[in-house]
């Protein structure tokens, strides 16, 4: 309560100080802060600075159409369409630029050809039937294409092209009623748009390209890693165990928040990545849609983690005082092993190797979760213990169990991605003969990376608990 009063008091003081500055003082502060914000914006992602320079270069190149007489004489005032095309087509990533460029080129050629055909057909109908026929075609095509834009798949990839189709068809067919040089107009418009789109795509691809596929792949892996970072610090925060780097741990606990709102970004990146050619580690027809499945499972896991975080920060929660030593040990075991599994899955994604060691950590966390369930159901918890006192422990156990289940599904989805990608995901580094003999001797569960699917070789002899702990 005292902290809340202090916070309100500080806020009021800041507001009063802000008012005392006056209009000139506030303007001065904003002028001083603006360069700092620009510097932070460029420092967060230096590619933004490079992208801005690339757009400026592309606009400069197409502007030369106006300054060279031979080019201007051939294109005339329609050269401005090349500049406009670069401005509206050039996007941050290669996939987005290719998608917009191809949409604009195809839509312009189709609409121009169709507009010229409609104009020729309308001329055959006579002077009275000419405007009626053109108006009928404009109405039908505009209404039909607009209705197609409501289909989710079409809207995701071709929405911009459909808009350009309507615009170009209407401009050519309607203006052709008064202008007899419709073929020349359509030719010049298509040529300038082709020049603008080619310039934008060339600059975007050949000068410091930004691939949407790389961003998607890294962001999905980073989101999984953020969940592992939360679980790494969950135990100490939940049971108030002091540890080094308290401030940094609290920062890691908040990192998962960006995962909750990643759906729209991932869907956009998948659509952009599907336009991109083969590049880097990704070949043609890479299974980009499978990243949506991994991202969805990651968000579902993040929702459970968000509930855990809300439980930690709640000021009215009931403390875990029911056999807290046993509950604390099992909860920390689950969070620790799940954290290791998720971080190894994230590392496998980033390095594009098949995850071979995460299964052991998931198995340990599953065993600990089952032990916690059995302990909370044991008759020893009865007697004088009130039901409300055990609810927090049951809540945490249930949420951690869900986290383990989602970690298992994420691991299976990454294995599926590795199988769909074929040779793009490399197998893990093979063990030496001495290491393999030691692993089989102790009975470690070792995945077979060379096979398609989650096959495992399990020996009969089981390792001791101390050896498992040392291994983890």
């Amino acid at each position: 309560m005292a902290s809340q009063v202090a916070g309100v008091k500080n806020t009021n003081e800041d507001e009063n100080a802000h008012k005392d500055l006056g209009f000139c003082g506030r303007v001065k502060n904003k002028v001083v802060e603006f360069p700092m914000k620009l510097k932070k914006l460029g420092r967060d992602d230096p590619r933004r600075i490079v992208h801005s320079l690339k757009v400026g270069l592309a606009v400069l190149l197409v502007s030369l159409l106006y300054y060279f007489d031979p080019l201007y004489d051939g294109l005339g005032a329609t050269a401005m369409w090349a500049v406009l095309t670069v401005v509206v087509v050039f996007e941050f990533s290669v996939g987005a630029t290719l998608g917009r460029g191809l949409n604009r080129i195809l839509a312009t050629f189709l609409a121009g050809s169709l507009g010229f055909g409609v104009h020729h057909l309308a001329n055959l109908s006579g002077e009275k039937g000419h405007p009626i026929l053109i108006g009928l075609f404009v109405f039908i095509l505009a209404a039909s294409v607009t209705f197609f834009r409501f289909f989710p798949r079409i809207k995701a990839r071709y929405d911009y092209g459909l808009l350009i189709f309507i615009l170009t068809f209407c401009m050519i067919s309607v203006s052709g009623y008064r202008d007899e040089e419709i073929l020349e107009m359509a030719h010049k418009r298509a040529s300038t748009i082709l020049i603008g789109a080619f310039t934008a795509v060339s600059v975007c691809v050949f000068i410091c390209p930004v691939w949407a596929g790389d961003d998607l792949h890294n962001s999905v892996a980073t989101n999984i890693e953020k969940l592992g970072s939360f679980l790494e610090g969950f135990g100490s925060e939940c049971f108030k165990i002091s540890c080094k780097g308290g401030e940094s741990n609290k920062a890691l606990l908040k990192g998962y928040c960006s995962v909750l709102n990643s759906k729209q970004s991932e869907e956009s990146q998948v659509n952009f990545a599907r336009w991109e050619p083969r590049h880097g580690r990704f070949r043609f027809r890479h299974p980009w849609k499978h990243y949506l499945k991994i991202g969805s499972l990651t968000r579902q896991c993040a929702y459970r983690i968000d509930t855990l975080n809300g439980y930690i920060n709640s000021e009215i929660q009931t403390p875990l005082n029911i056999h807290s030593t046993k509950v604390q040990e099992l909860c920390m075991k689950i969070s620790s092993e799940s954290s290791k599994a998720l971080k190894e899955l994230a590392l496998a994604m980033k390095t594009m190797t098949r995850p071979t060691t995460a299964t052991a950590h998931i198995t340990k966390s599953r065993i600990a979760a089952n032990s916690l369930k059995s302990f909370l159901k044991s008759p020893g918890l009865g007697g004088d213990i009130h039901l409300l006192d055990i609810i927090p422990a049951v809540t945490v156990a249930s949420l951690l169990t869900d986290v383990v289940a989602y970690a298992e599904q994420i691991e299976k989805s990454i294995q599926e991605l590795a199988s769909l990608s074929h040779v793009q995901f490399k197998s893990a580094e093979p063990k030496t003969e001495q290491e393999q003999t030691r692993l089989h001797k102790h009975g470690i569960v070792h995945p077979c990376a060379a096979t398609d699917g989650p096959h495992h070789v399990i020996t009969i002899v089981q390792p001791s608990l101390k050896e498992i702990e040392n291994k983890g």
Side-chain angles (χ1 to χ4, degrees):
M1 186 66 182
S3 61
Q4 293 179 353
V5 173
V8 173
K9 184 178 179 180
N10 293 333
T11 303
N12 293 334
E13 290 177 355
D14 293 339
E15 291 179 354
N16 293 332
H18 184 71
K19 291 179 180 178
D20 293 340
L21 289 174
F23 177 76
C24 294
R26 292 195 295 270
V27 171
K28 182 179 179 181
N29 284 343
K30 289 190 176 294
V31 171
V32 173
E33 290 175 359
F34 184 68
M36 298 176 64
K37 291 181 179 179
L38 289 179
K39 184 178 180 180
K40 182 180 183 302
L41 192 65
R43 183 181 297 173
D44 291 342
D45 192 351
R47 297 180 303 175
R48 295 169 180 168
I49 300 175
V50 178
H51 173 71
S52 302
L53 298 176
K54 288 162 60 177
V55 173
L57 175 61
V59 173
L60 174 63
L61 291 176
V62 294
S63 298
L64 296 178
L65 297 175
Y66 264 85
Y67 299 110
F68 288 94
D69 291 337
L71 296 176
Y72 183 78
D73 293 340
L75 298 175
T78 57
M80 182 54 65
W81 283 105
V83 179
L84 295 176
T85 299
V86 170
V87 173
V88 299
V89 163
F90 210 121
E91 292 289 338
F92 186 71
S93 66
V94 173
T97 304
L98 278 172
R100 275 184 166 262
L102 292 176
N103 268 278
R104 190 173 180 87
I105 291 172
L106 293 176
T108 300
F109 274 95
L110 289 176
S113 302
L114 190 59
F116 178 76
V118 168
H119 175 73
H120 181 70
L121 182 63
N123 285 334
L124 298 178
S125 62
E127 185 177 351
K128 293 184 179 180
H130 188 278
I132 297 175
L133 194 60
I134 288 181
L136 181 63
F137 272 100
V138 168
F139 172 78
I140 293 175
L141 285 174
S144 302
V145 173
T146 302
F147 181 75
F148 289 152
R149 293 178 60 203
F150 289 105
F151 287 89
R153 291 187 177 181
I154 294 178
K155 186 175 182 64
R157 301 199 70 188
Y158 308 108
D159 186 66
Y160 179 71
L162 295 177
L163 284 175
I164 298 300
F165 179 87
I166 297 174
L167 175 64
T168 304
F169 176 78
C170 292
M171 289 184 64
I172 292 178
S173 59
V174 174
S175 61
Y177 180 69
R178 298 292 182 183
D179 190 357
E180 294 299 329
E181 297 179 353
I182 182 173
L183 181 60
E184 182 180 358
M185 180 180 61
H187 170 71
K188 288 182 177 180
R189 176 171 167 79
S191 300
T192 52
I193 288 178
L194 184 63
I195 292 172
F198 179 77
T199 303
V201 170
S202 299
V203 173
C204 186
V205 172
F206 295 109
I207 301 179
C208 300
V210 177
W211 301 102
D214 285 339
D215 288 348
L216 172 65
H217 185 86
N218 293 330
S219 65
V220 171
T222 302
N223 288 341
I224 298 174
E225 186 178 8
K226 289 177 180 178
L227 302 187
S229 298
F230 175 91
L231 293 172
E232 185 179 15
F234 170 74
S236 58
E237 187 69 20
C238 180
F239 298 101
K240 310 302 179 185
I241 299 175
S242 59
C243 57
K244 297 181 180 180
E247 293 297 330
S248 60
N249 286 339
K250 290 182 179 179
L252 291 175
L253 289 175
K254 295 295 183 181
Y256 77 93
C257 295
S258 60
V259 183
L260 301 174
N261 301 317
S262 61
K263 180 179 180 180
Q264 185 176 1
S265 174
E266 289 176 357
E267 290 179 347
S268 299
Q269 288 177 332
V270 167
N271 289 327
F272 297 153
R274 292 173 65 190
W275 287 104
E276 294 178 345
R278 174 176 177 173
H279 61 278
R281 302 173 295 175
F282 306 103
R283 297 190 175 185
F284 184 66
R285 299 185 66 84
H286 186 76
W288 297 114
K289 283 188 175 182
H290 198 76
Y291 287 86
L292 295 178
K293 179 180 179 181
I294 300 175
S296 177
L297 292 173
T298 305
R299 280 190 300 276
Q300 293 297 326
C301 185
Y303 294 146
R304 272 66 179 178
I305 285 178
D306 187 47
T307 307
L308 284 172
N309 186 58
Y311 173 82
I312 292 175
N313 297 328
S314 176
E315 296 180 357
I316 60 174
Q317 66 175 332
T318 305
L320 294 174
N321 54 4
I322 306 301
H323 294 271
S324 58
T325 303
K326 184 67 174 178
V327 173
Q328 173 180 329
E329 178 185 352
L330 292 174
C331 286
M332 293 192 68
K333 180 69 175 178
I334 296 172
S335 60
S336 175
E337 294 298 333
S338 299
S339 170
K340 293 176 182 178
L342 290 172
K343 285 194 170 185
E344 290 188 5
L345 290 174
L347 180 61
M349 281 281 291
K350 288 183 177 180
T351 57
M352 293 192 74
T353 55
R354 293 178 179 268
T356 57
T357 57
T359 306
H361 294 296
I362 293 176
T363 302
K364 294 176 187 178
S365 59
R366 172 60 69 185
I367 293 173
N370 292 334
S371 300
L372 181 58
K373 280 184 178 181
S374 302
F375 176 76
L376 294 175
K377 293 178 182 179
S378 61
L381 292 178
D384 298 332
I385 298 173
H386 196 274
L387 178 62
L388 294 177
D389 294 332
I390 200 175
I391 288 179
V394 175
T395 303
V396 172
S398 177
L399 291 171
L400 287 175
T401 303
D402 287 346
V403 168
V404 174
Y406 279 109
E408 289 180 332
Q409 295 184 45
I410 291 172
E411 191 267 341
K412 292 179 181 178
S413 297
I414 294 177
Q415 291 282 10
E416 291 176 4
L417 176 64
S419 299
L420 293 172
S421 302
H422 302 295
V423 297
Q424 290 156 282
F425 271 72
K426 300 178 181 179
S427 300
E429 291 295 331
K431 302 289 184 180
T432 62
E433 294 183 2
Q434 183 177 1
E435 290 176 334
Q436 289 178 353
T437 303
R438 180 176 58 83
L439 291 176
H440 286 291
K441 178 180 179 182
H442 292 301
I444 299 295
V445 179
H446 185 71
C448 295
T451 59
D452 292 334
H455 300 85
H456 297 81
V457 176
I458 306 177
T459 56
I460 300 176
V461 182
Q462 297 296 327
S464 64
L465 182 60
K466 184 176 181 181
E467 290 173 337
I468 293 180
E469 293 293 339
N470 293 332
K471 181 69 177 177

